[in-house]
Amino acid sequence: MKKLYNLVFVVMVSAVLLTSCSAMKEVEKDYQNARNPQLPSDIIGAEKLITGVNTSSNLGDVSWRVLFNDPCFHAIVDSALANNLDMEICRKRIQEAELSLSVAKKAFFPSVAISPNGTISNFNSKTTKLYDMPLTVQWQADIFGSLRNAKKSQKALLEKSHDVIQTVQCQLISNLASLYYQLLMLDKEDAIMEQTEILWAKSVETQKALMQAGVVTRAAVDRMSASYYSIKSQIIDTKKEIVVLENAICRLLGEAPHHITRGSFDNFVMPSQIGVGIPMQVLQNRP
């Protein structure tokens, strides 16, 4: 009777294990199908629904080097990817995950331990030497899949680390792009305001000459002068904002504040066509 109970117990455990393995395979299959959906050919957005815009591809497939074709910006991003502190933390975590996965893989192999030792004894002027070298071999049979599950867990953590660094890299590039092109716009604004300052200074001199000729009053000259000094104060504020943005970029670069070498806003050219795509295609690019 006891043997019968043991047999029933073994059969029940085997059935549970087989059922769980089958369910796990079904979950993995559904996940892979969700990651690679078969889209119908006549789905909305598969053709050019907007004149001049191709929706058959999506913006997520466009490299940031193509979207932002400024060589100076490329150099800034390359420096940030190499020196940014958040990126360095992500790289160290990937190395940690890789080592943990290596340890989980090696757990399938037997472990060998050697503990050599020796003793020397002296009795009645007679020396006795004893040597011992015990060898211990241990091997864990992965009957219930604990080692296999630990390996899968470490592999998932490694993939998660790669996804995290991809997310941090995306955020870093987008923040740098926002700051960089704000900087270019402020440079353009500063150049226009400096030209306006020169023209306004000439206008003030003209108003003073007209006042001496009796054409305009002193009040007109004062209004013109007030506008001129307002422009000069705006130039100072713009230069201050430029320094603030340069310091923000340097912080992302992991460097001390310094002047940022940059291009011109007039040379910025967007691609002629950008594929909008459909939401499902765009979401496939996410970690």
Side-chain angles (χ1 to χ4, degrees):
M1 183 65 66
K2 185 176 181 181
K3 293 183 179 180
L4 180 60
Y5 287 155
N6 293 335
L7 179 60
V8 172
F9 176 76
V10 171
V11 171
M12 292 178 62
V13 171
S14 302
V16 171
L17 292 177
L18 291 175
T19 304
S20 62
C21 292
S22 178
M24 200 66 181
K25 291 181 179 178
E26 290 295 330
V27 171
E28 292 180 356
K29 183 179 179 181
D30 293 340
Y31 175 75
Q32 294 299 331
N33 292 335
R35 290 286 296 174
N36 302 289
Q38 299 296 327
L39 302 179
S41 59
D42 57 347
I43 190 171
I44 296 177
E47 301 296 335
K48 295 183 178 180
L49 301 181
I50 305 176
T51 304
V53 179
N54 184 9
T55 57
S56 60
S57 61
N58 64 80
L59 184 60
D61 295 332
V62 180
S63 172
W64 64 268
R65 295 183 183 272
V66 176
L67 190 61
F68 307 111
N69 53 6
D70 191 333
C72 295
F73 180 69
H74 293 175
I76 291 174
V77 173
D78 291 338
S79 178
L81 294 178
N83 303 319
N84 183 263
L85 297 180
D86 293 333
M87 291 293 296
E88 186 64 24
I89 291 174
C90 291
R91 282 191 285 267
K92 295 300 181 184
R93 287 178 177 172
I94 288 178
Q95 294 178 2
E96 177 185 359
E98 289 176 346
L99 293 176
S100 299
L101 178 59
S102 177
V103 172
K105 289 180 179 179
K106 293 177 181 177
F108 289 91
F109 299 98
S111 61
V112 180
I114 300 177
S115 303
N117 58 75
T119 59
I120 299 177
S121 60
N122 191 342
F123 183 74
N124 293 332
S125 301
K126 184 178 180 182
T127 303
T128 304
K129 298 180 180 180
L130 298 176
Y131 300 99
D132 186 16
M133 186 176 293
L135 176 65
T136 305
V137 179
Q138 293 181 350
W139 181 69
Q140 180 180 353
D142 192 22
I143 299 176
F144 296 100
S146 59
L147 297 181
R148 185 169 62 255
N149 291 333
K151 177 184 174 182
K152 288 183 178 180
S153 175
Q154 294 301 327
K155 187 176 181 180
L157 291 176
L158 178 59
E159 293 178 355
K160 177 184 177 182
S161 301
H162 284 290
D163 291 341
V164 169
I165 196 172
Q166 179 183 348
T167 304
V168 172
Q169 178 177 330
C170 181
Q171 293 176 348
L172 178 61
I173 295 175
S174 62
N175 291 337
L176 285 173
S178 176
L179 294 173
Y180 181 81
Y181 287 100
Q182 287 183 48
L183 195 56
L184 294 187
M185 287 189 293
L186 287 177
D187 287 342
K188 184 67 175 179
E189 180 181 347
D190 183 59
I192 294 174
M193 295 181 67
E194 287 182 350
Q195 294 177 0
T196 305
E197 178 192 7
I198 296 174
L199 297 176
W200 218 259
K202 293 180 180 180
S203 298
V204 171
E205 295 297 329
T206 302
Q207 288 291 326
K208 289 181 179 179
L210 292 174
M211 183 188 67
Q212 293 177 358
V215 178
V216 298
T217 62
R218 181 71 184 182
V221 176
D222 291 342
R223 284 195 298 269
M224 185 66 68
S225 299
S227 299
Y228 170 70
Y229 288 113
S230 175
I231 293 173
K232 290 181 68 70
S233 65
Q234 292 178 24
I235 292 176
I236 295 175
D237 292 338
T238 302
K239 292 185 180 298
K240 184 190 300 183
E241 293 179 9
I242 290 175
V243 173
V244 171
L245 288 179
E246 286 182 331
N247 292 343
I249 293 176
C250 291
R251 184 170 63 251
L252 293 178
L253 294 175
E255 300 174 355
H258 59 82
H259 173 73
I260 300 297
T261 303
R262 51 190 180 271
S264 173
F265 187 78
D266 296 331
N267 297 330
F268 175 66
V269 179
M270 286 288 292
S272 57
Q273 289 188 356
I274 298 178
V276 178
I278 59 177
M280 185 177 294
Q281 291 175 334
V282 177
L283 288 176
Q284 285 181 339
N285 293 309
R286 297 180 62 183

